[in-house]
Amino acid sequence: MRRFKKDLILKYFKIIPLIIFIFSNSIAFGAVSSFVDSFTVGENDSGAGQNQPTGVQFNPDGTRMYVSGVSGNWILQYSLDTPFDVSSVNNDLAGQICNFGGSIANDGANFEFNSDGTKIFLVDRTDETIEQFKLTTAYDISTCVHEDEITLGITTLADIAFSRDGMKLFAYDQDGGGKNAVYAVEQYSLSSPYNLTNATLVATYTGPNGDIRDNIQRFAQAMVFNIDGTKMYITGGFATATATNGGVYEFTLSSPFDVSGAITYEGEFDPSAQVGQIAGLTFSANGSKMYITDFTNGSIGNRGVYEYNLTCSFGVIKCIDPSKNKDDVATMESQTQSVKKLIKHSTSPVLNRMQWLRRNENKANLTNQNIKFQFNNEILNSLSKTLIPVFFSNDASSNLNSQNSNWSIWSEGTISIGKSGDTSYSSAKDINTTALTFGADKRDENNIMRGIALRLGSDDVDVGDLGSALDMSTISLTIYGTNPKGDNKFADTLVGISFLNSDTTNSDGSNTTTSERNGIQVYGSYNFRNTYNYDLLNYTPKIKFDFGGTHLEGYSEDGPDILTYRFQDQFIGHLMTTVGTSLDKNFEFNNKSFMPYLNLDYTVDISPSSSQKFTHISTGENFILDEINNSTHNFHAGIGLDLITDKGLNLMTKYTLDQSKGDKKNNFVISADYRASYKSSYAISVHETSTEISYKSKHNNLNVDISSNMDFFAEDPEYGIYLKVYTLK
């Protein structure tokens, strides 16, 4: 179980419940690029300069910059004192180069690293080949060794790019560069990451009107994708209708790293105020900075790398619409789903308990736990001396056949494993829920059962394959009762409160934002059922209503302003109705009772919709999410068995399947009830923020003490179990 803060009850726990279906406000906002600084590449002298720089790249942490060009047969390597700041270039590495002269490459231009920096792929503009180098030290080009030469059959190869997983290769085909040439982005599938052998052409993109050259630019130089593959950028070196010296052209892809789907041309950024002839292009790791190389030959004032600030991540023309990022949407979906399912997770153990008690209501060994409460607080101690004897029997020698006098302790552990598949707008989610519920209840002389239950739960959701995740912890307290309404008719009621805390990680593989949110939830359930007996087979139709509300505090994501959002408070209503039935039959053998059972339920979620307002921190642009709680339908099936023994230990096990559209969850439940003998006793001790549960038993003058402490409110939570065996003389 994750850490719970000490002021849990004084301050709501944090949880993020978001799911995007409709953006009622604008779905994109304008991005502004501003020039920051530049670095002039040294002249081509002594093998340590470059008169015509083309490609530019950085290592992941921005402490090294690499520049290639067509007037020198090498890639230059520079160190940066400040990450991704070209004004902080330290020339101590300027002499460290990857030399591809001689027969390797006649006109080396743009280049790419693989994901771990152990390979370089260099475009040879003259031979129309891709030269592959290995680096014996990652991201140290002075250790480069030529490995291979790959030909794709492209007439004029300008640049290449890879998908994030290295399974796709994109090549910019400048097809001769003449007036009648057709410019295209070609997409290849690879048999393994960054393996260019037998690359297979699968798609071609030729621009919004069938020709990139005529509609966007005159001389393509570079092609770049953002980290998640939803944006593509192409540079043009010669004048266009709007950019006198060429520009940066932005495209939005409907499917990440896939040029076969719908592609929207967003517009052109003109850097001509600084750049004489645009060539290479790259971005910082988080997309907050853009870098352009100037191809101008021999002009010291222009020949270099130019740095620009972006107001939002990778937003050259438009900021990325958060609803178009499948991982972001899936993360927000999972948060809302976890909140809505928490009511079910909190009520199910209690309903299971009441159902189990009715199935086995004639068993004599279901009660008589001896409970002792101890409090450090003097006021609580005074109240306990007055009130606890009214409800609890603490006599270790209680009559085991007296079913109505004492309380029964029970517990239930749940493990739930689920998966939501990939959709057109949301990534796949792996969902794991674990919980432990402790309860105590007793039956009065009118056969009315009342009890209280404490649930400790944890939800872990892994989103996509880049590291996004949700980690939610909950504490739920439920008061419940089951009331007979005649022969074999029962009404189950419960009310409860939950405190929630969630940590969310949004990751694109390189950049990460985190957030924490507090929340409080109140809930209730009403369950009516009537049991019919047919030759010892019990048939129980039922109807159930679940209701509740969740208040979630406002919060801000932690990370660079360019990547983060600020969310306002949110209220989520909850209303669900369920109809179903259960079957069970009892078998008696060897002083034991064995009862298999089957549950079938159909649930409709008729919760009212809610909305969530949030703001992009860097730009101040406001968004609103509507229709968050859409109605859903769920089918539930469960099969299990009860085992009642004459030794005091009783078990209930159950496997369930929950199936809804696009969502499947498997559950395994095990619940235990134990009857204390006259030689045994239980105690519950509450000491400020900690709780201790202990069990003592005597066997032939041998004393066995078992205790467990739980302090979830401490800054460093403590959990433990202790065993002591001893004799007394």
Side-chain angles (χ1 to χ4, degrees):
M1 185 68 62
R2 285 194 316 99
R3 173 184 300 181
F4 282 91
K5 295 186 175 179
K6 192 171 184 178
D7 60 350
L8 171 67
I9 300 179
L10 300 178
K11 186 176 178 66
Y12 298 158
F13 272 138
K14 297 185 176 180
I15 185 171
I16 307 172
L18 297 175
I19 177 174
I20 299 179
F21 286 109
I22 298 175
F23 273 77
S24 61
N25 283 357
S26 61
I27 60 173
F29 46 95
V32 179
S33 301
S34 60
F35 173 68
V36 178
D37 212 331
S38 65
F39 166 72
T40 300
V41 179
E43 293 186 68
N44 186 10
D45 56 4
S46 305
Q50 182 59 253
N51 285 339
Q52 293 180 286
T54 51
V56 58
Q57 297 288 345
F58 293 84
N59 65 342
D61 63 9
T63 57
R64 290 189 178 183
M65 180 176 68
Y66 314 89
V67 180
S68 63
V70 298
S71 66
N73 294 324
W74 44 73
I75 302 173
L76 306 176
Q77 178 173 274
Y78 301 91
S79 67
L80 280 70
D81 294 332
T82 302
F84 296 108
D85 182 358
V86 300
S87 67
S88 71
V89 167
N90 186 331
N91 286 312
D92 64 348
L93 295 181
Q96 299 193 34
I97 61 174
C98 177
N99 193 332
F100 50 82
S103 61
I104 297 177
N106 295 317
D107 194 9
N110 296 311
F111 63 101
E112 290 282 339
F113 287 95
N114 67 344
S115 58
D116 61 7
T118 59
K119 292 185 182 294
I120 290 178
F121 302 89
L122 174 72
V123 173
D124 187 343
R125 295 288 297 268
T126 299
D127 297 336
E128 315 300 344
T129 59
I130 302 173
E131 305 296 338
Q132 179 176 314
F133 300 81
K134 70 174 182 181
L135 306 181
T136 56
T137 301
Y139 294 105
D140 184 356
I141 61 168
S142 67
T143 66
C144 73
V145 179
H146 186 252
E147 282 189 319
D148 200 3
E149 180 179 276
I150 300 95
T151 300
L152 298 176
I154 295 176
T155 305
T156 305
L157 182 62
D159 198 6
I160 61 171
F162 293 93
S163 61
R164 177 150 209 67
D165 59 4
M167 294 298 295
K168 295 180 181 179
L169 169 70
F170 300 87
Y172 200 105
D173 188 354
Q174 213 179 74
D175 198 9
K179 182 178 181 180
N180 298 320
V182 176
Y183 292 63
V185 176
E186 298 180 350
Q187 177 179 325
Y188 296 82
S189 65
L190 307 179
S191 59
S192 60
Y194 302 98
N195 181 6
L196 305 189
T197 305
N198 299 320
T200 303
L201 179 64
V202 295
T204 301
Y205 176 68
T206 57
N209 297 313
D211 193 338
I212 295 177
R213 181 204 63 193
D214 289 343
N215 293 279
I216 301 176
Q217 55 79 50
R218 298 297 186 266
F219 188 66
Q221 291 287 333
M223 174 184 60
V224 179
F225 291 84
N226 70 336
I227 292 177
D228 64 14
T230 58
K231 292 280 190 180
M232 179 175 68
Y233 310 87
I234 296 174
T235 67
F238 294 160
T240 69
T242 58
T244 60
N245 295 311
V248 179
Y249 312 93
E250 180 179 306
F251 303 81
T252 298
L253 282 64
S254 59
S255 298
F257 293 112
D258 185 4
V259 300
S260 66
I263 298 178
T264 303
Y265 172 56
E266 303 291 2
E268 176 184 7
F269 170 71
D270 181 7
S272 59
Q274 297 84 34
V275 178
Q277 185 175 326
I278 190 172
L281 176 71
T282 194
F283 296 88
S284 61
N286 64 6
S288 63
K289 293 181 178 292
M290 177 178 67
Y291 305 87
I292 296 172
T293 57
D294 192 341
F295 184 75
T296 305
N297 185 17
S299 175
I300 299 296
N302 296 105
R303 186 182 65 240
V305 180
Y306 292 79
E307 176 185 331
Y308 297 81
N309 278 339
L310 307 180
T311 58
C312 55
S313 182
F314 295 98
V316 178
I317 304 301
K318 287 186 176 181
C319 293
I320 297 175
D321 180 357
S323 70
K324 306 302 183 188
N325 186 300
K326 297 178 65 174
D327 278 8
D328 289 346
V329 172
T331 301
M332 292 185 277
E333 272 184 346
S334 65
Q335 296 158 6
T336 295
Q337 292 168 355
S338 296
V339 171
K340 294 176 66 176
K341 291 177 180 179
L342 176 60
I343 292 180
K344 178 183 178 180
H345 293 163
S346 300
T347 60
S348 289
V350 174
L351 295 174
N352 289 340
R353 169 65 176 177
M354 289 188 286
Q355 186 178 4
W356 182 82
L357 287 170
R358 283 192 299 274
R359 289 198 302 263
N360 302 279
E361 62 179 329
N362 296 321
K363 306 296 188 302
N365 56 346
L366 299 183
T367 59
N368 298 319
Q369 304 290 3
N370 297 298
I371 305 173
K372 184 180 181 181
F373 284 88
Q374 301 171 338
F375 300 97
N376 282 346
N377 186 283
E378 292 299 325
I379 296 177
L380 292 178
N381 270 330
S382 298
L383 291 174
S384 68
K385 292 178 181 179
T386 302
L387 298 177
I388 291 178
V390 177
F391 299 99
F392 295 89
S393 173
N394 296 309
D395 183 5
S397 62
S398 299
N399 185 350
L400 297 180
N401 294 321
S402 177
Q403 295 193 50
N404 299 326
S405 61
N406 292 328
W407 286 70
S408 179
I409 286 180
W410 61 274
S411 63
E412 178 177 304
T414 304
I415 299 175
S416 177
I417 301 173
K419 184 177 181 65
S420 293
D422 186 85
T423 68
S424 59
Y425 62 89
S426 176
S427 298
K429 300 180 288 290
D430 292 317
I431 308 165
N432 296 281
T433 301
T434 57
L436 185 62
T437 303
F438 302 95
D441 48 40
K442 69 180 294 186
R443 183 181 293 139
D444 64 16
E445 63 276 5
N446 298 317
N447 204 30
I448 297 175
M449 179 69 69
R450 296 185 178 91
I452 187 170
L454 176 69
R455 178 186 183 271
L456 307 174
S458 175
D459 289 83
D460 296 309
V461 183
D462 294 325
V463 175
D465 56 5
L466 297 180
S468 295
L470 167 71
D471 183 11
M472 184 176 75
S473 295
T474 57
I475 294 180
S476 304
L477 183 66
T478 306
I479 300 173
Y480 61 92
T482 180
N483 190 5
K485 298 295 184 180
D487 294 339
N488 297 323
K489 296 181 181 180
F490 296 89
D492 301 332
T493 56
L494 61 88
V495 294
I497 185 170
S498 295
F499 300 95
L500 311 95
N501 174 269
S502 70
D503 293 328
T504 301
T505 301
N506 276 319
S507 177
D508 56 20
S510 297
N511 310 298
T512 299
T513 62
T514 60
S515 56
E516 186 180 3
R517 197 177 199 182
N518 293 342
I520 188 171
Q521 182 180 82
V522 293
Y523 57 89
S525 181
Y526 179 82
N527 184 18
F528 180 81
R529 58 184 68 204
N530 188 10
T531 300
Y532 301 90
N533 303 110
Y534 299 99
D535 192 24
L536 301 180
L537 177 66
N538 298 317
Y539 166 67
T540 306
K542 53 189 174 181
I543 184 171
K544 181 164 70 80
F545 299 96
D546 296 322
F547 53 90
T550 305
H551 175 261
L552 304 160
E553 292 182 345
Y555 73 101
S556 295
E557 293 179 312
D558 294 325
D561 288 351
I562 198 171
L563 301 175
T564 56
Y565 295 86
R566 182 182 300 110
F567 296 83
Q568 297 186 16
D569 285 16
Q570 184 183 8
F571 176 80
I572 299 176
H574 184 88
L575 181 62
M576 301 181 71
T577 181
T578 301
V579 294
T581 187
S582 63
L583 298 170
D584 63 77
K585 187 173 183 177
N586 185 53
F587 299 90
E588 302 283 347
F589 63 97
N590 296 332
N591 296 320
K592 298 180 177 63
S593 176
F594 176 79
M595 181 180 292
Y597 60 91
L598 173 69
N599 293 326
L600 298 172
D601 297 315
Y602 177 73
T603 300
V604 178
D605 184 354
I606 54 177
S607 304
S609 63
S610 64
S611 62
Q612 172 71 69
K613 297 179 180 180
F614 62 104
T615 303
H616 188 254
I617 292 179
S618 179
T619 65
E621 188 77 8
N622 294 319
F623 294 84
I624 184 170
L625 309 180
D626 289 327
E627 305 296 330
I628 294 178
N629 288 344
N630 287 340
S631 59
T632 59
H633 303 263
N634 181 78
F635 174 75
H636 170 91
I639 185 170
L641 60 91
D642 297 339
L643 179 63
I644 309 299
T645 73
D646 59 350
K647 304 297 184 181
L649 179 63
N650 311 306
L651 297 175
M652 184 272 287
T653 62
K654 181 168 64 173
Y655 167 79
T656 66
L657 170 65
D658 290 278
Q659 180 71 62
S660 59
K661 186 178 180 181
D663 191 3
K664 180 180 180 181
K665 182 170 289 188
N666 299 281
N667 306 271
F668 179 74
V669 174
I670 181 168
S671 178
D673 177 281
Y674 190 75
R675 169 180 58 87
S677 70
Y678 71 95
K679 295 180 179 180
S680 305
S681 64
Y682 289 91
I684 297 178
S685 300
V686 180
H687 305 280
E688 296 182 350
T689 63
S690 65
T691 300
E692 180 180 342
I693 300 176
S694 61
Y695 167 77
K696 297 182 179 180
S697 179
K698 187 175 182 180
H699 305 275
N700 298 325
N701 296 322
L702 185 67
N703 295 274
V704 179
D705 293 0
I706 303 175
S707 62
S708 175
N709 76 291
M710 297 167 288
D711 190 351
F712 298 107
F713 299 91
E715 189 68 22
D716 294 311
E718 296 180 358
Y719 330 95
I721 185 168
Y722 310 93
L723 172 65
K724 182 169 66 174
V725 181
Y726 60 96
T727 59
L728 295 176
K729 295 182 179 180

